[in-house]
Amino acid sequence: MAQNATVFRVHLQIADMDRHHYSDYSHTLARHPSETDLRMMVRLLGFMLRADERLEFTRGLCVDDEPDLWLKSYSGEIELWIDTGLPSEKRIRKACNRSKQVLLLVYGTDQAVNPWWSGLQGQVGRFDNLEVLRIPPQQSDALAALAERGMHLNCTIQDGQVWISGDHGEVTIDPEKWLP
């Protein structure tokens, strides 16, 4: 018998001083049975970093040709493609060809991330519309610890640094800019 997705309800208060974007959002996230709290929270971090009323979570793991989040124009063109993890060069190329902007949030241990990036860096450096941010392992683990079925999170972004606080803790995230 197939397992069901776990539902998480999230209320976000975002104050992005870098983009002058201040708003509240409510989301219902379905965490796929094979997805970890860490991956789900990195997807949520992707939303926080580029929050917009048209930015939406996609079917993600269930569909190969969709990102974790996307922002589409009113005419249906993909303006922003956000992916998380360690995607293949083929997937990154596809994203860069289909979207005006691509944000890749990389997370994981140094033993997994560093070889992946060494093999990929030269191939993806040619894409002008690709931004790659690395979330340090200790910070991504602290972010995962904030996961609850009912979350109320406050997010403040200033000078590229992200402060997230919830009912059961807080975390500061300093994404490392790997590209451009």
Side-chain angles (χ1 to χ4, degrees):
M1 184 164 84
Q3 293 181 338
N4 292 331
T6 304
V7 175
F8 289 77
R9 298 196 192 309
V10 183
H11 179 76
L12 290 172
Q13 291 183 315
I14 297 178
D16 186 338
M17 295 178 210
D18 293 346
R19 296 187 309 133
H20 305 289
H21 180 87
Y22 310 93
S23 194
D24 291 356
Y25 296 93
S26 291
H27 292 289
T28 300
L29 297 178
R31 189 188 71 205
H32 191 272
S34 66
E35 185 177 31
T36 63
D37 283 346
L38 173 57
R39 185 176 188 284
M40 181 191 68
M41 293 301 286
V42 173
R43 286 192 298 134
L44 190 57
L45 175 63
F47 183 88
M48 293 175 197
L49 290 170
R50 298 295 189 270
D52 186 280
E53 64 183 29
R54 291 182 292 126
L55 182 61
E56 59 185 276
F57 291 91
T58 66
R59 293 174 286 174
L61 288 174
C62 300
V63 180
D64 287 338
D65 64 343
E66 290 183 3
D68 291 313
L69 297 109
W70 61 17
L71 186 142
K72 289 187 172 183
S73 69
Y74 291 112
S75 61
E77 297 165 333
I78 303 171
E79 293 180 358
L80 175 61
W81 176 296
I82 299 177
D83 249 342
T84 62
L86 307 174
S88 67
E89 185 271 337
K90 179 180 178 182
R91 182 167 173 85
I92 294 170
R93 182 174 9 103
K94 179 180 186 178
C96 290
N97 289 331
R98 290 185 63 195
S99 179
K100 291 180 184 175
Q101 289 183 290
V102 177
L103 173 61
L104 176 57
L105 297 175
V106 176
Y107 66 94
T109 64
D110 290 341
Q111 294 82 7
V113 172
N114 291 340
W116 169 84
W117 184 241
S118 295
L120 201 66
Q121 186 176 8
Q123 298 170 335
V124 300
R126 69 180 189 269
F127 296 116
D128 294 335
N129 60 338
L130 175 63
E131 181 179 5
V132 179
L133 298 178
R134 164 79 191 280
I135 311 304
Q138 304 84 351
Q139 296 172 14
S140 61
D141 290 344
L143 178 64
L146 295 178
E148 299 180 74
R149 298 279 302 270
M151 291 182 267
H152 294 274
L153 301 174
N154 295 311
C155 173
T156 303
I157 301 171
Q158 185 174 15
D159 297 328
Q161 190 173 54
V162 183
W163 295 282
I164 303 167
S165 63
D167 294 335
H168 297 288
E170 57 186 49
V171 62
T172 301
I173 298 181
D174 289 304
E176 300 169 6
K177 194 167 207 156
W178 279 6
L179 197 68

